[in-house]
Amino acid sequence: MEVHFCVDTLDGNVTIKRTKEKAQKESVDAEQQAREITEGQIYGTIRAEKEKVTEAEALKAEFEMLRSQALSGDQKSQYLVAAAQLWGVENRGMSVVVENLEEALYWFSQLLAKGYPKALEKQQECIKQMNDRYAQKIWEAEKKAREEKEKQERKKRLAIRAAQNEFEALVQFAETENPEGMYYLAESYFNGVTVEDTVIVEPDLKMAIKYFTNSLRGGHREAFGRLAECQALKAEQDKEKKKRTKKEV
């Protein structure tokens, strides 16, 4: 970038003036060059993709022609079609022939029956690959089922542990003689707590009555009705117990 010095004759001070025109021109030229490179890369990529697609389409058309000849009974075409279907064919990352083991096996079996060279070898290769794929699918299915089972078991363990922790925290809260804590602890004893088929808290009517009573003394409004229910249920259970005792006697 050029720098010009000049003397300001009005005040005698020396000032430095940079020629912005050349700097701006250099900037424009650099931007233009960058844009041309970018556009060239884009056009080059598009051309390459078009060429790849065109080439793949040509190969597909060639395969379809071979397949038509195979259906007409041409043994060489049958062999080439089967060989392509045995593993599938890709060209520059694009699928040209999709793997089709069932059809490949059909062609190799037909050729074997006619004594075509290498048909037996290819038929066995095809059968082996089919068995390997089948075994792979079974292994993947078993792995998926095993992983799902482990996931569910982990989930179950976490749920059980969370419920146990919650109950322990509730017991500690009730021990502070908080009416709300005692009320919900009584509910837990009244109904019992079961998570994932695992009993966390066994129903215990006696403990439920105890904590509903303590909660009521602490001023919990709903504890009175629940305590009455528990006492009525307890009286009914005691009555049934006495009847059974009398019968046994």
Side-chain angles (χ1 to χ4, degrees), residues 220-232:
H220 198 286
R221 294 180 180 180
E222 297 178 18
F224 179 79
R226 298 295 286 134
L227 177 60
E229 290 179 31
C230 287
Q231 288 173 336

Side-chain angles (χ1 to χ4, degrees), residues 51-67 80-81 84 88-98:
E51 289 173 1
K52 185 166 65 173
V53 170
T54 302
E55 189 174 327
E57 288 176 349
L59 289 170
K60 286 179 181 179
E62 184 179 345
F63 175 75
E64 288 303 321
M65 182 182 69
L66 277 174
R67 199 165 185 276
L80 292 174
V81 167
V89 178
E90 285 190 358
N91 181 65
R92 296 169 65 179
M94 294 192 70
S95 177
V96 176
V97 180
V98 178

Side-chain angles (χ1 to χ4, degrees), residues 15-249:
T15 60
I16 301 175
K17 295 182 180 180
R18 302 182 180 212
T19 55
K20 296 181 179 180
E21 292 79 4
K22 185 173 182 181
Q24 290 174 349
K25 185 176 183 303
E26 290 175 350
S27 177
V28 170
D29 289 344
E31 290 177 2
Q32 180 66 25
Q33 184 179 6
R35 185 163 54 252
E36 289 174 355
I37 292 172
T38 303
E39 290 175 352
Q41 290 173 341
I42 292 172
Y43 292 141
T45 302
I46 292 172
R47 281 197 303 271
E49 287 297 320
K50 286 183 176 179
E51 289 173 1
K52 185 166 65 173
V53 170
T54 302
E55 189 174 327
E57 288 176 349
L59 289 170
K60 286 179 181 179
E62 184 179 345
F63 175 75
E64 288 303 321
M65 182 182 69
L66 277 174
R67 199 165 185 276
S68 177
Q69 293 172 353
L71 291 170
S72 299
D74 183 73
Q75 293 185 8
K76 183 177 180 180
S77 298
Q78 291 173 353
Y79 182 84
L80 292 174
V81 167
Q85 291 175 325
L86 178 58
W87 295 101
V89 178
E90 285 190 358
N91 181 65
R92 296 169 65 179
M94 294 192 70
S95 177
V96 176
V97 180
V98 178
E99 180 185 284
N100 190 333
L101 295 176
E102 289 77 11
E103 192 168 328
L105 181 61
Y106 168 79
W107 288 123
F108 286 136
S109 299
Q110 292 292 315
L111 291 168
L112 179 62
K114 297 172 185 177
Y116 193 87
K118 294 187 178 180
L120 177 60
E121 177 185 342
K122 287 295 182 181
Q123 184 197 49
Q124 291 175 344
E125 183 180 348
C126 187
I127 292 172
K128 182 180 181 303
Q129 188 172 339
M130 291 177 76
N131 290 335
D132 290 345
R133 291 295 171 82
Y134 181 70
Q136 178 70 16
K137 286 181 180 178
I138 292 176
W139 180 83
E140 288 175 355
E142 290 177 346
K143 180 184 177 184
K144 185 177 180 181
R146 186 168 58 252
E147 289 175 348
E148 183 62 26
K149 183 179 179 182
E150 291 173 355
K151 179 181 176 182
Q152 293 301 322
E153 287 177 351
R154 284 196 301 271
K155 184 179 178 181
K156 179 178 178 179
R157 288 195 299 270
L158 288 172
I160 292 170
R161 187 56 188 162
Q164 290 171 338
N165 290 339
E166 287 176 8
F167 181 71
E168 290 171 5
L170 182 58
V171 170
Q172 292 176 4
F173 187 41
E175 287 176 352
T176 65
E177 298 185 353
N178 180 281
E180 193 80 3
M182 291 187 289
Y183 178 84
Y184 284 109
L185 182 58
E187 286 285 5
S188 297
Y189 279 120
F190 181 77
N191 296 301
V193 178
T194 301
V195 176
E196 298 288 346
D197 299 324
T198 299
V199 177
I200 307 299
V201 182
E202 291 280 359
D204 190 330
L205 193 55
K206 184 178 179 181
M207 292 294 288
I209 290 173
K210 172 186 174 181
Y211 282 104
F212 276 133
T213 301
N214 292 340
S215 178
L216 179 61
R217 289 172 180 170
H220 198 286
R221 294 180 180 180
E222 297 178 18
F224 179 79
R226 298 295 286 134
L227 177 60
E229 290 179 31
C230 287
Q231 288 173 336
L233 182 60
K234 181 73 166 57
E236 187 177 344
Q237 288 179 353
D238 290 343
K239 186 177 179 180
E240 290 294 327
K241 187 177 179 180
K242 286 180 181 179
K243 286 182 180 179
R244 288 195 299 270
T245 304
K246 286 181 179 179
K247 287 180 180 180
E248 290 174 0
V249 173

